[in-house]
Amino acid sequence: MAFGITRKELDEWKNHVKNGQIAFLTHYWIDQRFPGCKTVTKVGCSNLSTLIEWGRQYGLKEEWIDLKEGYPHFDLFGKYEYEILKEEGLLLQLKRFK
């Protein structure tokens, strides 16, 4: 479940993903398996080859793609989240949760 975002933000992300665009969505996220992480950024795209190619430039593996719920995406957190958002010029997405 996504916390700290609006329904509009979620719907916009879903629409961009469905339309084959690379889309970013950062929200609060707590998981005991990842201590110290309190956010996750979902980077999605319905065109799997586009998503795979995008991920390769950051060293993300194809098998890390979450295919659940019809919105293929990478879940970024920790070092990957920060470094990729920085490289993409999207650190504001992360900073709003800090």
Side-chain angles (χ1 to χ4, degrees), residues 12-22 45-47 71:
E12 286 174 356
W13 180 82
K14 286 180 173 183
N15 286 332
H16 289 299
V17 171
K18 282 183 190 177
N19 290 330
Q21 300 167 299
I22 296 291
C45 182
S46 62
N47 182 322
Y71 297 95

Side-chain angles (χ1 to χ4, degrees), residues 46-59:
S46 62
N47 182 322
L48 282 178
S49 59
T50 298
L51 185 60
I52 291 165
E53 189 61 33
W54 176 88
R56 278 192 188 131
Q57 70 181 313
Y58 294 110

Side-chain angles (χ1 to χ4, degrees), residues 55-68:
R56 278 192 188 131
Q57 70 181 313
Y58 294 110
L60 305 178
K61 298 179 183 180
E62 180 179 346
E63 57 266 23
W64 295 350
I65 295 173
D66 186 339
L67 297 170
K68 290 185 272 182

Side-chain angles (χ1 to χ4, degrees), residues 24-61:
F24 296 80
L25 181 69
T26 302
H27 61 82
Y28 282 117
W29 175 74
I30 305 291
D31 189 317
Q32 301 293 28
R33 296 172 297 168
F34 304 99
C37 296
K38 64 179 185 177
T39 60
V40 64
T41 297
K42 295 185 177 301
V43 182
C45 182
S46 62
N47 182 322
L48 282 178
S49 59
T50 298
L51 185 60
I52 291 165
E53 189 61 33
W54 176 88
R56 278 192 188 131
Q57 70 181 313
Y58 294 110
L60 305 178
K61 298 179 183 180

Side-chain angles (χ1 to χ4, degrees), residues 47-96:
N47 182 322
L48 282 178
S49 59
T50 298
L51 185 60
I52 291 165
E53 189 61 33
W54 176 88
R56 278 192 188 131
Q57 70 181 313
Y58 294 110
L60 305 178
K61 298 179 183 180
E62 180 179 346
E63 57 266 23
W64 295 350
I65 295 173
D66 186 339
L67 297 170
K68 290 185 272 182
E69 301 178 27
Y71 297 95
H73 64 277
F74 286 104
D75 288 318
L76 308 178
F77 49 91
K79 181 180 112 181
Y80 280 107
E81 183 180 30
Y82 179 83
E83 292 299 327
I84 292 171
L85 287 175
K86 180 180 175 187
E87 186 69 26
E88 293 282 338
L90 298 171
L91 274 180
L92 284 179
Q93 277 203 28
L94 185 59
K95 287 182 179 181
R96 79 185 248 203

